[in-house]
């Protein structure tokens, strides 16, 4: 930051007043050169930003900001902040208090929090976009509609906590915890590493064409109608883990994914409300699918048309609640009131069985190909 020689210039004024002074100076210069009747361009902040500034017009950063408190506060609607390759560090780096249409581009936000955006109306979340931005610390969103990484700019995310929000990650790299509560997520063409996606009461999300690498998907607490398709999920303890009852009539769908090199591909504990279809489960150490359910309900779940190869060859010692060791393609332990429907599943080179399900716990939809057990089981025929 250049040295300020005047004790009474803009550097001595509070952020909001200093911003206004800069804008007046910029407008005066334009009026002096444009002539009468000329169209005026939108004013931009012409001085170097400082910690604590309230930004009310488009801003291009000219230097890094390292702040003990808030870095920049957005003070008007439809403001664009071009970080121009610079870094803002603060607590948070950027704060958006009920302002709409904020755009952040080309730089890094970090500190104790990278970004906070808080809207005042649940039915009208504040929209914001960020492209080419690295969020080096957790972002917190409340009543917001955030699109991160739209276009070729991409984004980097190190944790998000969202409440009552819509969150889109498009072509991003993400780490740490992505926590969505009563929110809707869209994640596409992104790489998620060393963390987890946790959904609580979060529905109608779509997650497609991503790589989840040591990044467990956690489905909790009435999260429903979420669709996971076209993803690679690998190197996690469980690629999917779901617990707590879901909607009795509406399911989460896991379809056409490549689920490999985890300990367990899909694990359900006392939960209902899922469809697993058309996936490839490969080289998961303990099992491709493990369902351990004690909930009684009339509607059952579908596990169909999946391919299981080389699962259960290095089991980790997991047992179901009846003490049966888990190893193989599909392991089912449920109650007769909540039978699972199995059809069209194919397996080879799995440890143990393609399907392990005691009598009275599954409905055979036909077309399952691979060894099944325990025998005898009149409810299940495997070709």
């Amino acid at each position: 930051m250049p040295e300020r020689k005047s004790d009474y210039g803009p550097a001595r004024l509070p952020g909001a007043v200093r911003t206004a002074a800069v804008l007046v100076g910029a407008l005066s210069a334009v009026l002096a050169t444009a002539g009468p009747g000329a169209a005026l361009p939108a004013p931009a902040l012409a001085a170097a930003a400082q910690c604590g500034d309230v930004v009310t017009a488009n801003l291009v950063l000219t230097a890094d900001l390292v702040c003990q408190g808030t870095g920049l506060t957005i003070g008007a609607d439809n403001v664009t902040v071009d970080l121009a390759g610079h870094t803002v560090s603060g607590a948070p780096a950027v704060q958006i208090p009920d302002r709409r249409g904020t755009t952040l581009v080309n730089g890094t936000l970090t500190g104790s929090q990278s970004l906070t955006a808080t809207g005042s109306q649940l039915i009208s979340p504040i929209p914001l976009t960020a492209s080419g931005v690295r969020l080096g610390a957790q972002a917190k969103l409340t009543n917001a509609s955030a699109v991160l990484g739209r276009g070729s700019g991409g984004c980097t995310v190190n944790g998000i906590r969202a409440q009552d929000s819509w969150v889109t990650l498009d072509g991003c790299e993400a780490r740490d915890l992505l926590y969505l509560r009563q929110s809707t997520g869209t994640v596409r063409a992104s790489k998620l590493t060393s963390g987890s996606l946790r959904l609580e009461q979060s529905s109608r999300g779509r997650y497609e064409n991503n790589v989840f690498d040591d990044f467990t998907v956690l489905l909790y607490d009435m999260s429903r109608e979420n669709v996971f398709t076209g993803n690679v999920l690998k190197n996690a303890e469980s690629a999917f883990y779901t617990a707590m009852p879901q909607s009795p009539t509406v399911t989460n769908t896991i379809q056409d994914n490549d689920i490999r090199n985890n300990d367990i591909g899909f694990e359900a504990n006392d939960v209902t409300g899922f469809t697993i279809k058309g996936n490839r489960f490969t080289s998961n150490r303990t099992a491709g699918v493990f369902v351990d359910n004690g909930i009684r309900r009339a509607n059952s779940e579908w596990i169909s048309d999946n391919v299981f190869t080389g699962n259960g060859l290095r089991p980790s010692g997991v047992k179901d609640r009846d003490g049966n060791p888990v190893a193989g393609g599909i392991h089912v332990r449920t109650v007769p009131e909540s039978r699972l429907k199995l059809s069209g599943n194919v397996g080879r080179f799995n440890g143990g069985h393609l399907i392990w399900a005691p009598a009275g716990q599954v409905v055979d939809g036909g077309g399952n190909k691979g060894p099944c057990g325990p025998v005898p089981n009149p409810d299940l025929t495997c070709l």
Side-chain angles (χ1 to χ4, degrees), residues 16-279:
V17 177
R18 188 168 62 84
T19 299
V22 171
L23 294 177
V24 169
L27 284 170
S28 298
V30 172
L31 287 169
T33 59
L40 298 180
L45 190 58
Q50 291 188 344
C51 294
D53 277 358
V54 178
V55 181
T56 58
N58 294 343
L59 168 67
V60 178
L61 219 60
T62 59
D64 293 347
L65 291 178
V66 180
C67 308
Q68 296 301 312
T70 301
L72 300 173
T73 297
I74 305 302
D77 292 346
N78 303 315
V79 166
T80 295
V81 176
D82 185 350
L83 300 169
H86 294 292
T87 296
V88 179
S89 177
V94 171
Q95 176 177 260
I96 306 173
D98 207 21
R99 297 297 181 178
R100 309 180 69 82
T102 301
T103 300
L104 307 170
V105 295
N106 303 328
T108 298
L109 304 178
T110 190
S112 61
Q113 280 188 321
S114 59
L115 171 69
T116 63
T118 305
S120 62
Q121 300 181 47
L122 178 61
I123 61 174
S124 182
I126 58 171
L128 68 102
T129 62
S131 180
V133 174
R134 178 180 180 271
L135 302 181
Q138 185 186 83
K140 185 176 181 181
L141 308 173
T142 305
N143 294 340
S145 179
V147 177
L148 308 180
R150 174 178 288 177
S152 61
C155 73
T156 301
V157 174
N158 283 273
I160 291 176
R161 295 186 69 89
Q163 171 79 42
D164 298 315
S165 293
W166 283 257
V167 181
T168 297
L169 272 61
D170 188 351
C172 295
E173 295 185 4
R175 302 177 67 90
D176 207 347
L177 174 65
L178 303 183
Y179 175 59
L180 276 61
R181 180 168 178 79
Q182 296 177 337
S183 298
T184 297
T186 299
V187 181
R188 54 180 172 257
S190 294
K191 183 177 181 180
L192 303 98
T193 306
S194 300
S196 61
L197 168 65
R198 183 182 180 110
L199 306 183
E200 293 185 4
Q201 299 181 33
S202 293
S203 300
R204 300 182 180 89
R206 190 165 183 90
Y207 306 85
E208 57 186 339
N209 302 324
N210 305 291
V211 175
F212 293 80
D213 189 350
D214 187 23
F215 208 94
T216 297
V217 177
L218 303 165
L219 297 168
Y220 287 134
D221 197 11
M222 296 300 290
S223 294
R224 57 189 183 179
E225 295 184 88
N226 296 288
V227 176
F228 294 83
T229 185
N231 304 288
V232 175
L233 300 104
K234 61 182 182 178
N235 300 327
E237 183 175 348
S238 294
F240 289 93
Y241 181 84
T242 180
M244 301 185 186
Q246 310 301 319
S247 169
T249 58
V250 182
T251 67
N252 294 296
T253 299
I254 298 167
Q255 185 169 356
D256 297 329
N257 301 284
D258 181 2
I259 303 171
R260 54 186 164 90
N261 299 325
N262 307 284
D263 187 48
I264 297 174
F266 176 89
E267 183 175 359
N269 187 1
D270 280 342
V271 69
T272 57
F274 56 83
T275 295
I276 303 173
K277 180 178 176 64
N279 303 283

Side-chain angles (χ1 to χ4, degrees), residues 298-374:
N299 296 318
S300 60
E301 280 62 50
W302 275 104
I303 302 177
S304 64
D305 303 316
N306 303 285
V307 177
F308 295 85
T309 306
N311 301 281
L313 298 177
R314 292 177 292 152
S316 58
V318 175
K319 296 182 179 180
D320 65 25
R321 68 187 64 195
D322 293 332
N324 300 299
V326 178
I330 302 171
H331 186 104
V332 175
R333 186 277 177 203
T334 186
V335 293
E337 296 87 346
S338 300
R339 298 187 184 197
L340 271 68
K341 297 178 182 178
L342 306 176
S343 68
N345 299 290
V346 176
R348 60 177 184 170
F349 309 132
N350 296 291
H353 300 86
L354 165 64
I355 301 170
W356 190 96
Q361 299 191 11
V362 299
V363 176
D364 189 351
N368 297 297
K369 298 180 181 180
C372 296

